[in-house]
Short mmCIF file of all heavy atoms in Angstrom, two decimals:
data_model
loop_
_atom_site.label_atom_id
_atom_site.label_comp_id
_atom_site.label_asym_id
_atom_site.label_seq_id
_atom_site.Cartn_x
_atom_site.Cartn_y
_atom_site.Cartn_z
N HIS A 267 -5.46 14.09 10.17
CA HIS A 267 -4.65 15.26 9.82
C HIS A 267 -5.07 15.87 8.49
O HIS A 267 -4.28 16.55 7.83
CB HIS A 267 -3.18 14.86 9.82
CG HIS A 267 -2.67 14.52 11.19
ND1 HIS A 267 -2.20 15.47 12.06
CD2 HIS A 267 -2.60 13.34 11.85
CE1 HIS A 267 -1.85 14.91 13.19
NE2 HIS A 267 -2.09 13.61 13.10
N GLY A 268 -6.32 15.64 8.11
CA GLY A 268 -6.90 16.33 6.96
C GLY A 268 -6.62 15.70 5.61
O GLY A 268 -7.01 16.26 4.58
N VAL A 269 -5.97 14.55 5.58
CA VAL A 269 -5.63 13.89 4.31
C VAL A 269 -6.82 13.03 3.88
O VAL A 269 -7.33 12.22 4.65
CB VAL A 269 -4.36 13.03 4.45
CG1 VAL A 269 -4.09 12.26 3.16
CG2 VAL A 269 -3.17 13.91 4.81
N THR A 270 -7.24 13.21 2.64
CA THR A 270 -8.35 12.42 2.10
C THR A 270 -7.90 11.44 1.02
O THR A 270 -8.59 10.46 0.76
CB THR A 270 -9.44 13.34 1.53
OG1 THR A 270 -8.85 14.27 0.61
CG2 THR A 270 -10.12 14.11 2.65
N THR A 271 -6.76 11.69 0.40
CA THR A 271 -6.21 10.81 -0.64
C THR A 271 -4.71 10.72 -0.43
O THR A 271 -4.06 11.74 -0.17
CB THR A 271 -6.50 11.36 -2.05
OG1 THR A 271 -7.91 11.47 -2.24
CG2 THR A 271 -5.94 10.43 -3.13
N MET A 272 -4.15 9.51 -0.55
CA MET A 272 -2.71 9.37 -0.36
C MET A 272 -2.18 8.15 -1.10
O MET A 272 -2.94 7.24 -1.48
CB MET A 272 -2.36 9.28 1.12
CG MET A 272 -2.88 8.06 1.84
SD MET A 272 -2.60 8.15 3.65
CE MET A 272 -0.81 8.39 3.73
N GLN A 273 -0.88 8.16 -1.31
CA GLN A 273 -0.17 7.00 -1.84
C GLN A 273 0.62 6.35 -0.71
O GLN A 273 1.11 7.03 0.19
CB GLN A 273 0.80 7.42 -2.94
CG GLN A 273 0.13 7.93 -4.19
CD GLN A 273 1.09 8.12 -5.34
OE1 GLN A 273 0.81 7.73 -6.46
NE2 GLN A 273 2.23 8.75 -5.11
N ALA A 274 0.72 5.02 -0.79
CA ALA A 274 1.55 4.28 0.16
C ALA A 274 2.95 4.16 -0.41
O ALA A 274 3.16 3.50 -1.43
CB ALA A 274 0.96 2.89 0.38
N SER A 275 3.91 4.81 0.24
CA SER A 275 5.30 4.75 -0.23
C SER A 275 6.01 3.59 0.46
O SER A 275 5.93 3.44 1.68
CB SER A 275 6.02 6.06 0.06
OG SER A 275 5.44 7.13 -0.65
N LEU A 276 6.72 2.79 -0.33
CA LEU A 276 7.49 1.66 0.19
C LEU A 276 8.97 1.94 0.00
O LEU A 276 9.39 2.40 -1.07
CB LEU A 276 7.13 0.37 -0.55
CG LEU A 276 5.69 -0.12 -0.43
CD1 LEU A 276 5.53 -1.44 -1.18
CD2 LEU A 276 5.29 -0.29 1.03
N VAL A 277 9.76 1.64 1.04
CA VAL A 277 11.20 1.77 0.89
C VAL A 277 11.74 0.56 0.15
O VAL A 277 11.04 -0.45 -0.06
CB VAL A 277 11.89 1.90 2.26
CG1 VAL A 277 11.45 3.18 2.95
CG2 VAL A 277 11.62 0.69 3.14
N SER A 278 13.00 0.64 -0.25
CA SER A 278 13.64 -0.43 -1.02
C SER A 278 13.66 -1.73 -0.24
O SER A 278 13.84 -1.73 0.99
CB SER A 278 15.06 -0.02 -1.41
OG SER A 278 15.04 1.15 -2.19
N ALA A 279 13.48 -2.82 -0.95
CA ALA A 279 13.46 -4.14 -0.32
C ALA A 279 13.94 -5.18 -1.33
O ALA A 279 13.92 -4.94 -2.54
CB ALA A 279 12.06 -4.49 0.17
N PHE A 280 14.35 -6.34 -0.82
CA PHE A 280 14.69 -7.45 -1.70
C PHE A 280 13.42 -7.97 -2.37
O PHE A 280 12.31 -7.79 -1.85
CB PHE A 280 15.40 -8.55 -0.90
CG PHE A 280 16.75 -8.16 -0.40
CD1 PHE A 280 16.93 -7.75 0.92
CD2 PHE A 280 17.85 -8.15 -1.26
CE1 PHE A 280 18.18 -7.37 1.39
CE2 PHE A 280 19.10 -7.77 -0.81
CZ PHE A 280 19.27 -7.38 0.51
N PRO A 281 13.54 -8.61 -3.54
CA PRO A 281 12.36 -8.96 -4.33
C PRO A 281 11.27 -9.72 -3.57
O PRO A 281 10.09 -9.38 -3.68
CB PRO A 281 12.95 -9.80 -5.47
CG PRO A 281 14.32 -9.24 -5.66
CD PRO A 281 14.80 -8.91 -4.27
N ASP A 282 11.62 -10.73 -2.80
CA ASP A 282 10.59 -11.50 -2.10
C ASP A 282 9.87 -10.65 -1.07
O ASP A 282 8.63 -10.74 -0.92
CB ASP A 282 11.21 -12.73 -1.43
CG ASP A 282 11.62 -13.80 -2.43
OD1 ASP A 282 11.22 -13.69 -3.60
OD2 ASP A 282 12.36 -14.73 -2.04
N ASP A 283 10.62 -9.83 -0.34
CA ASP A 283 9.99 -8.95 0.65
C ASP A 283 9.08 -7.94 -0.03
O ASP A 283 7.96 -7.65 0.45
CB ASP A 283 11.05 -8.21 1.46
CG ASP A 283 11.78 -9.10 2.45
OD1 ASP A 283 11.20 -10.14 2.82
OD2 ASP A 283 12.91 -8.77 2.84
N LEU A 284 9.53 -7.39 -1.15
CA LEU A 284 8.72 -6.42 -1.86
C LEU A 284 7.42 -7.05 -2.36
O LEU A 284 6.35 -6.44 -2.27
CB LEU A 284 9.51 -5.83 -3.03
CG LEU A 284 8.84 -4.70 -3.81
CD1 LEU A 284 8.53 -3.52 -2.89
CD2 LEU A 284 9.74 -4.25 -4.96
N GLU A 285 7.49 -8.27 -2.85
CA GLU A 285 6.28 -8.96 -3.32
C GLU A 285 5.29 -9.16 -2.18
O GLU A 285 4.08 -8.98 -2.36
CB GLU A 285 6.66 -10.31 -3.94
CG GLU A 285 7.32 -10.20 -5.30
CD GLU A 285 6.41 -9.56 -6.34
OE1 GLU A 285 5.22 -9.94 -6.42
OE2 GLU A 285 6.88 -8.66 -7.06
N ARG A 286 5.76 -9.52 -1.00
CA ARG A 286 4.87 -9.71 0.14
C ARG A 286 4.19 -8.39 0.52
O ARG A 286 2.99 -8.37 0.83
CB ARG A 286 5.64 -10.26 1.34
CG ARG A 286 5.90 -11.77 1.27
CD ARG A 286 6.40 -12.31 2.61
NE ARG A 286 7.74 -11.83 2.91
CZ ARG A 286 8.85 -12.45 2.53
NH1 ARG A 286 8.78 -13.55 1.80
NH2 ARG A 286 10.04 -11.97 2.85
N ARG A 287 4.93 -7.32 0.49
CA ARG A 287 4.35 -6.03 0.83
C ARG A 287 3.32 -5.59 -0.20
O ARG A 287 2.26 -5.04 0.15
CB ARG A 287 5.46 -4.99 0.97
CG ARG A 287 6.38 -5.27 2.16
CD ARG A 287 7.64 -4.42 2.17
NE ARG A 287 8.56 -4.89 3.19
CZ ARG A 287 9.77 -4.43 3.38
NH1 ARG A 287 10.24 -3.46 2.58
NH2 ARG A 287 10.54 -4.92 4.33
N LEU A 288 3.61 -5.84 -1.46
CA LEU A 288 2.65 -5.49 -2.51
C LEU A 288 1.41 -6.37 -2.43
O LEU A 288 0.29 -5.89 -2.68
CB LEU A 288 3.31 -5.59 -3.88
CG LEU A 288 4.35 -4.51 -4.19
CD1 LEU A 288 5.03 -4.78 -5.52
CD2 LEU A 288 3.72 -3.12 -4.19
N ASP A 289 1.57 -7.64 -2.09
CA ASP A 289 0.40 -8.51 -1.92
C ASP A 289 -0.52 -7.96 -0.84
O ASP A 289 -1.75 -7.93 -1.00
CB ASP A 289 0.85 -9.93 -1.54
CG ASP A 289 1.46 -10.70 -2.70
OD1 ASP A 289 1.26 -10.29 -3.86
OD2 ASP A 289 2.14 -11.71 -2.43
N ALA A 290 0.08 -7.52 0.27
CA ALA A 290 -0.73 -6.99 1.37
C ALA A 290 -1.39 -5.67 0.97
O ALA A 290 -2.58 -5.44 1.27
CB ALA A 290 0.14 -6.79 2.61
N LEU A 291 -0.66 -4.81 0.29
CA LEU A 291 -1.24 -3.53 -0.12
C LEU A 291 -2.31 -3.70 -1.18
O LEU A 291 -3.24 -2.89 -1.26
CB LEU A 291 -0.13 -2.59 -0.62
CG LEU A 291 0.64 -1.89 0.50
CD1 LEU A 291 1.94 -1.32 -0.01
CD2 LEU A 291 -0.21 -0.79 1.13
N ALA A 292 -2.21 -4.75 -1.99
CA ALA A 292 -3.27 -5.03 -2.96
C ALA A 292 -4.59 -5.32 -2.23
O ALA A 292 -5.67 -4.94 -2.71
CB ALA A 292 -2.87 -6.21 -3.84
N ILE A 293 -4.52 -5.97 -1.08
CA ILE A 293 -5.72 -6.21 -0.27
C ILE A 293 -6.27 -4.89 0.25
O ILE A 293 -7.47 -4.61 0.17
CB ILE A 293 -5.40 -7.18 0.88
CG1 ILE A 293 -5.03 -8.56 0.32
CG2 ILE A 293 -6.59 -7.29 1.84
CD1 ILE A 293 -4.50 -9.52 1.37
N THR A 294 -5.38 -4.07 0.80
CA THR A 294 -5.80 -2.77 1.33
C THR A 294 -6.41 -1.91 0.23
O THR A 294 -7.41 -1.22 0.44
CB THR A 294 -4.60 -2.05 1.95
OG1 THR A 294 -4.00 -2.90 2.93
CG2 THR A 294 -5.01 -0.74 2.59
N PHE A 295 -5.83 -1.96 -0.94
CA PHE A 295 -6.28 -1.18 -2.09
C PHE A 295 -7.73 -1.51 -2.45
O PHE A 295 -8.50 -0.65 -2.89
CB PHE A 295 -5.35 -1.45 -3.27
CG PHE A 295 -5.62 -0.64 -4.50
CD1 PHE A 295 -5.55 0.74 -4.47
CD2 PHE A 295 -5.93 -1.26 -5.70
CE1 PHE A 295 -5.79 1.49 -5.62
CE2 PHE A 295 -6.16 -0.52 -6.85
CZ PHE A 295 -6.09 0.87 -6.80
N GLU A 296 -8.12 -2.78 -2.25
CA GLU A 296 -9.47 -3.23 -2.60
C GLU A 296 -10.44 -3.18 -1.43
O GLU A 296 -11.62 -3.50 -1.59
CB GLU A 296 -9.40 -4.66 -3.13
CG GLU A 296 -8.57 -4.83 -4.41
CD GLU A 296 -9.19 -4.13 -5.60
OE1 GLU A 296 -10.42 -3.87 -5.57
OE2 GLU A 296 -8.46 -3.82 -6.56
N THR A 297 -9.96 -2.77 -0.25
CA THR A 297 -10.79 -2.78 0.95
C THR A 297 -11.25 -1.37 1.28
O THR A 297 -10.42 -0.46 1.38
CB THR A 297 -10.00 -3.36 2.14
OG1 THR A 297 -9.53 -4.66 1.81
CG2 THR A 297 -10.88 -3.43 3.38
N PRO A 298 -12.56 -1.15 1.46
CA PRO A 298 -13.02 0.18 1.86
C PRO A 298 -12.35 0.63 3.16
O PRO A 298 -12.14 -0.17 4.08
CB PRO A 298 -14.53 -0.01 2.05
CG PRO A 298 -14.88 -1.20 1.21
CD PRO A 298 -13.67 -2.10 1.29
N SER A 299 -12.04 1.91 3.23
CA SER A 299 -11.35 2.46 4.40
C SER A 299 -12.22 3.50 5.08
O SER A 299 -12.95 4.24 4.42
CB SER A 299 -10.03 3.10 3.98
OG SER A 299 -9.46 3.83 5.05
N THR A 300 -12.13 3.56 6.41
CA THR A 300 -12.77 4.63 7.16
C THR A 300 -11.81 5.80 7.35
O THR A 300 -12.13 6.75 8.06
CB THR A 300 -13.25 4.13 8.54
OG1 THR A 300 -12.13 3.57 9.24
CG2 THR A 300 -14.32 3.07 8.36
N GLY A 301 -10.65 5.73 6.74
CA GLY A 301 -9.67 6.81 6.78
C GLY A 301 -9.48 7.42 5.41
O GLY A 301 -10.41 7.47 4.59
N ALA A 302 -8.27 7.88 5.14
CA ALA A 302 -7.96 8.43 3.82
C ALA A 302 -8.08 7.34 2.75
O ALA A 302 -7.95 6.15 3.04
CB ALA A 302 -6.54 9.01 3.83
N HIS A 303 -8.34 7.77 1.54
CA HIS A 303 -8.42 6.83 0.41
C HIS A 303 -7.02 6.49 -0.07
O HIS A 303 -6.21 7.38 -0.32
CB HIS A 303 -9.21 7.47 -0.73
CG HIS A 303 -9.14 6.68 -2.01
ND1 HIS A 303 -9.63 5.40 -2.12
CD2 HIS A 303 -8.63 6.99 -3.23
CE1 HIS A 303 -9.44 4.96 -3.35
NE2 HIS A 303 -8.83 5.91 -4.04
N LEU A 304 -6.73 5.19 -0.16
CA LEU A 304 -5.45 4.74 -0.71
C LEU A 304 -5.57 4.74 -2.23
O LEU A 304 -6.21 3.87 -2.81
CB LEU A 304 -5.09 3.35 -0.19
CG LEU A 304 -3.77 2.78 -0.73
CD1 LEU A 304 -2.59 3.64 -0.30
CD2 LEU A 304 -3.57 1.34 -0.27
N PHE A 305 -4.90 5.71 -2.86
CA PHE A 305 -4.97 5.83 -4.31
C PHE A 305 -4.10 4.80 -5.00
O PHE A 305 -4.40 4.35 -6.11
CB PHE A 305 -4.56 7.24 -4.74
CG PHE A 305 -4.64 7.48 -6.21
CD1 PHE A 305 -5.86 7.49 -6.86
CD2 PHE A 305 -3.49 7.68 -6.96
CE1 PHE A 305 -5.94 7.70 -8.23
CE2 PHE A 305 -3.56 7.90 -8.33
CZ PHE A 305 -4.79 7.91 -8.97
N GLY A 306 -3.02 4.39 -4.37
CA GLY A 306 -2.11 3.41 -4.96
C GLY A 306 -0.79 3.43 -4.23
O GLY A 306 -0.66 3.98 -3.14
#
């Protein structure tokens, strides 16, 4: 859909759930993508 750069928005979560989601996104952040660039 024409997006080349984007941010991953997370909805509110309890602390442990939020940490798990951030751990996973940290991997995505460091992994080359064939789609839009994850800026953060």
Side-chain angles (χ1 to χ4, degrees):
H267 293 274
V269 175
T270 53
T271 301
M272 65 187 304
Q273 293 189 134
S275 296
L276 297 182
V277 296
S278 300
F280 293 100
D282 288 347
D283 287 337
L284 185 59
E285 287 298 314
R286 280 192 291 272
R287 294 169 189 175
L288 289 175
D289 286 343
L291 279 163
I293 295 171
T294 306
F295 184 61
E296 298 294 338
T297 303
S299 170
T300 56
H303 170 62
L304 179 63
F305 182 68

